[in-house]
Amino acid sequence: MRVPSKAGVIEVEEKIKKIAELVKEILKELGEDVNREGIRETPYRVARMLLHELLYGYYVDPRQYLKSFAIDDDEDAIRVNGFVVVTNIPFRSLCEHHLLPIIGLAHIAYIPQNRVLGLSKFVRIVDAFARRLQIQERLTEQIAEFIYREVAPEGVMVVTEAIHTCTIMRGVKEPIKTVAITLRGKFAEDQVLRMQALNIVSLARRGTPLKEFEDLVK
Ligand SMILES: [Zn+2]
């Protein structure tokens, strides 16, 4: 994914240049020889990576993904009792406290009124919010709020589980997996419905059971 052209090619190139200069300063301050071969191109590479690969979400309006659809036929979604569950949507983000990767999965349940979205749309929506500096709770809120507002389902539940690599890199021995959940509409009001959706997510999610997650579905 590249920064969309609406950001302006010149503007983006200017930003890359500026950021590259600043990265160079950081490397100098750390005592590196910024002219040695392995590191010479690093400032520019890092700047390009930040803008084009890790943080392009600032330039993406996820509403663009909702323009052309009526009903998506999606084989990957699970339909139960009028709600649709899409699980195991991978996301990559950067924690705003340490600028280190957050790697996770999102699971979305919603009760469509007229619009049914397919997996590919959700993948893009999640990605648009993940590719910014984030904390997991806000990411989860933003995805839920966006779907609730723009797709207008009767209810939406978003669960994210993620490993924050800042905990690993900074010396916590066991990687800590954290779970966040946001509820809107009927999922917030109806506990039985919420439990049904959480149980389906629990069954469909990849990986080993997670204590926190199991506590949520109890
Ligand atoms: Zn962090």
Side-chain angles (χ1 to χ4, degrees), residues 95-100 164 166-167 170:
C95 93
E96 69 182 18
H97 300 137
H98 306 95
L99 308 186
L100 286 171
H164 297 247
C166 54
T167 60
R170 294 168 56 249

Side-chain angles (χ1 to χ4, degrees), residues 22-130:
L22 295 167
V23 173
K24 203 171 172 178
E25 287 305 309
I26 292 172
L27 292 174
K28 272 188 204 161
E29 285 299 324
L30 290 170
E32 268 294 348
D33 170 8
V34 289
N35 293 315
R36 73 179 172 85
E37 197 176 337
I39 232 169
R40 207 184 303 143
E41 296 299 321
T42 298
Y44 189 69
R45 207 181 287 123
V46 169
R48 282 190 60 80
M49 175 188 72
L50 287 175
L51 251 81
H52 285 304
E53 292 166 344
L54 302 191
L55 297 172
Y56 55 73
Y58 291 114
Y59 299 91
V60 175
D61 180 353
R63 280 177 298 186
Q64 69 186 275
Y65 306 132
L66 303 178
K67 272 179 192 156
S68 58
F69 72 93
I71 290 197
D72 274 14
D73 205 11
D74 182 23
E75 289 169 3
D76 297 310
I78 304 163
R79 282 153 218 268
V80 185
N81 289 348
F83 64 82
V84 179
V85 184
V86 185
T87 55
N88 301 310
I89 302 166
F91 67 84
R92 305 276 182 270
S93 192
L94 277 190
C95 93
E96 69 182 18
H97 300 137
H98 306 95
L99 308 186
L100 286 171
I102 302 170
I103 297 161
L105 292 173
H107 315 286
I108 298 168
Y110 69 108
I111 308 160
Q113 298 213 73
N114 35 38
R115 291 175 138 191
V116 179
L117 289 197
L119 174 68
S120 66
K121 299 257 176 15
F122 284 117
V123 169
R124 289 199 183 117
I125 291 166
V126 168
D127 189 61
F129 289 110

Side-chain angles (χ1 to χ4, degrees), residues 4-21:
S5 56
K6 71 171 182 182
V9 176
I10 294 169
E11 190 198 324
V12 171
E13 284 308 312
E14 275 300 307
K15 269 191 205 293
I16 287 173
K17 248 191 230 166
K18 273 189 201 164
I19 295 169
E21 279 306 313

Side-chain angles (χ1 to χ4, degrees), residues 103-182:
I103 297 161
L105 292 173
H107 315 286
I108 298 168
Y110 69 108
I111 308 160
Q113 298 213 73
N114 35 38
R115 291 175 138 191
V116 179
L117 289 197
L119 174 68
S120 66
K121 299 257 176 15
F122 284 117
V123 169
R124 289 199 183 117
I125 291 166
V126 168
D127 189 61
F129 289 110
R131 298 294 184 172
R132 305 170 189 194
L133 294 181
Q134 281 290 12
I135 56 170
Q136 191 180 343
E137 291 74 14
R138 188 176 59 226
L139 172 64
T140 313
E141 281 286 328
Q142 285 176 338
I143 298 165
E145 183 57 30
F146 177 81
I147 294 167
Y148 197 54
R149 204 179 52 229
E150 300 294 333
V151 186
E154 287 184 62
V156 64
M157 177 186 87
V158 178
V159 179
T160 59
E161 48 182 317
I163 288 177
H164 297 247
T165 59
C166 54
T167 60
I168 306 166
M169 294 298 291
R170 294 168 56 249
V172 181
K173 286 204 179 88
E174 285 293 307
I176 296 169
K177 214 172 188 187
T178 53
V179 175
I181 179 166
T182 296

Side-chain angles (χ1 to χ4, degrees), residues 109-111 155-157 183-190 193-194 197:
Y110 69 108
I111 308 160
V156 64
M157 177 186 87
L183 306 159
R184 291 279 192 282
K186 279 196 179 167
F187 284 115
E189 297 150 15
D190 187 335
L193 198 66
R194 177 160 74 241

